[in-house]
Amino acid sequence: MRLRQRGTGGGQYEMTVLPHIEHRFYASWMTGPDPDRLRYAQIAGAAARHAQAWLTAEQEAAAVAELTGAAAGRADLLAECAGTALGFGEGGQDAARYRQIAELCIAAGADSSLIEHWIAIGRQRAAAAAATPHAGPSARG
């Protein structure tokens, strides 16, 4: 553990011990990026980017091709994206957009046997989001 004096004022010290503790006690897999989560983020980002009110056949084909490439054979992650979109968007103002995200993932090869499981999780996430108080600017100004 090292202490380093900060500033010129008396007695202000900064501890630089946290990186040493993390290195010693956490396995690298706990602090490194999870490849599945990164791949899921690529899928979800591509699906959200392509989802719009009207897609031409060419736009839809491009979206499905991008999702297929992003998934790299991971039909389970496509199903997760499709199911959570359906469950989270159910009954909301953006339900049609979430439905289109799911349809694009399904067209890209989502494992249909897993979608119902992820719909339930999407519903849970929507309920949790609805129960979380808004943390925007205060009304006091």
Side-chain angles (χ1 to χ4, degrees):
M1 176 169 62
R2 294 178 289 162
L3 292 177
R4 179 172 69 188
Q5 189 167 6
R6 256 182 17 181
T8 58
Q12 290 186 4
Y13 290 92
E14 178 179 289
M15 292 176 48
T16 58
V17 69
L18 187 58
H20 301 292
I21 291 173
E22 287 179 342
H23 177 72
R24 184 170 182 169
F25 293 105
Y26 290 122
S28 62
W29 61 267
M30 291 177 73
T31 57
D34 178 2
D36 285 352
R37 294 299 87 201
L38 293 174
R39 184 163 308 283
Y40 175 83
Q42 289 174 328
I43 293 167
R49 189 174 55 258
H50 287 287
Q52 47 184 296
W54 305 103
L55 285 177
T56 66
E58 292 168 350
Q59 290 171 323
E60 184 175 346
V64 170
E66 185 177 349
L67 286 169
T68 302
R74 295 295 304 272
D76 60 322
L77 294 178
L78 287 165
E80 179 180 351
C81 186
T84 53
L86 287 171
F88 191 87
E90 204 170 61
Q93 291 178 334
D94 291 336
R97 185 166 188 272
Y98 284 110
R99 198 168 31 259
Q100 187 168 35
I101 288 170
E103 289 170 1
L104 290 171
C105 289
I106 291 166
D111 182 343
S112 60
S113 69
L114 300 175
I115 293 175
E116 283 300 320
H117 166 76
W118 287 109
I119 288 173
I121 291 174
R123 287 176 182 146
Q124 291 170 358
R125 291 177 183 173
T132 303
H134 176 65
S138 68
R140 290 182 270 157

